[in-house]
Amino acid sequence: MVFADQKSKLLYDYYDPERMKDIDLIISCGDLPQEYLSFFVTLCNVPLLYVRGNHDKSYDANPPEGCTCIEDDIYVYKGIRILGLGGSMQYIPGAPGQYTEWQMRYRIRKLGFKLWRHKGFDILVTHAPAYQVNDLPDLPHRGFAAFLPLLDKYRPKFFLHGHVHANYARGFKRTDTYGETTVVNAYEFYVVEYPLKDH
């Protein structure tokens, strides 16, 4: 399961263990309260991975308990390589959780050894979308062009992001495709089925 940006009344206020019984992994794409993430990792008893959104400054002093931050890292879950890059396009200079295009490219360059060692990745997890892939034309919600070479070179199975809310535009897309990659907007929540590799 993936989620981002908006707490789900269905999952949280009316929590039902039966609804979560087939969930093996939870991924947060950012901009959710710490206690929300800690709630699910505690009650669902499955790993919860997260990247930060542009409104997650409070994570510095109080990170979500029991959860794993995958910012600027590759986390391997049952053979699935998951790469995390949080934050949004910078629209307030110097604001936490916001990056210029150059800064995001620099973060990706620093991942070179990890990408080589893991021979790429299977899932890209970000907060912001990629440029012209489910993004919006205004600067705060514009996607990063820096993500496109990653998608072109490594052709991951999934690209999971948040940041673009369902009520922002009439053309909201829950899923899309970019080349061989399925793109998922994790706003509120969405269940992704990923076939596990045989070991």
Side-chain angles (χ1 to χ4, degrees):
M1 174 179 287
V2 296
F3 46 50
D5 301 299
Q6 173 71 42
K7 292 195 293 186
S8 167
K9 286 189 176 183
L10 177 65
L11 297 183
Y12 189 60
D13 295 349
Y14 306 106
Y15 179 77
D16 180 356
E18 281 297 303
R19 197 175 286 120
M20 307 294 288
K21 68 177 183 178
D22 295 323
I23 301 299
D24 298 310
L25 177 69
I26 301 172
I27 298 176
S28 171
C29 295
D31 281 357
L32 287 166
Q34 301 98 316
E35 61 271 15
Y36 189 76
L37 273 61
S38 297
F39 172 86
F40 285 103
V41 78
T42 301
L43 291 185
C44 297
N45 197 30
V46 299
L48 194 154
L49 313 179
Y50 71 91
V51 296
R52 298 181 189 207
N54 55 305
H55 298 298
D56 291 331
K57 170 66 176 163
S58 59
Y59 282 28
D60 290 343
N62 185 25
E65 293 183 15
C67 305
T68 302
C69 180
I70 59 169
E71 290 274 352
D72 304 302
D73 204 1
I74 296 175
Y75 182 95
V76 181
Y77 174 76
K78 295 187 177 180
I80 303 169
R81 302 158 298 172
I82 305 169
L83 171 62
L85 286 163
S88 74
M89 185 68 72
Q90 185 182 94
Y91 55 94
I92 302 173
Q98 298 180 23
Y99 301 87
T100 64
E101 188 69 54
W102 184 90
Q103 288 171 327
M104 185 58 75
R105 289 183 188 278
Y106 180 68
R107 290 175 67 189
I108 292 170
R109 279 200 303 273
K110 287 172 64 178
L111 286 165
F113 177 73
K114 291 178 180 177
L115 287 165
W116 173 81
R117 183 159 57 92
H118 289 283
K119 299 179 181 176
F121 60 95
D122 303 297
I123 299 176
L124 176 60
V125 178
T126 68
H127 179 62
Y131 180 61
Q132 294 188 340
V133 182
N134 285 2
D135 67 346
L136 296 175
D138 64 303
L139 180 61
H141 300 98
R142 185 183 304 161
F144 286 102
F147 295 156
L148 298 176
L150 277 175
L151 298 174
D152 291 336
K153 181 175 181 179
Y154 296 102
R155 295 177 292 181
K157 189 167 184 64
F158 284 98
F159 171 30
L160 313 174
H161 72 85
H163 196 51
V164 178
H165 297 203
N167 59 344
Y168 281 177
R170 284 173 28 185
F172 175 80
K173 284 187 179 180
R174 173 63 75 187
T175 62
D176 202 352
T177 56
Y178 178 87
E180 299 175 25
T181 301
T182 298
V183 181
V184 176
N185 186 331
Y187 175 77
E188 195 174 0
F189 78 94
Y190 187 75
V191 177
V192 175
E193 292 190 15
Y194 191 106
L196 292 175
K197 297 176 181 177
D198 295 326
H199 288 286

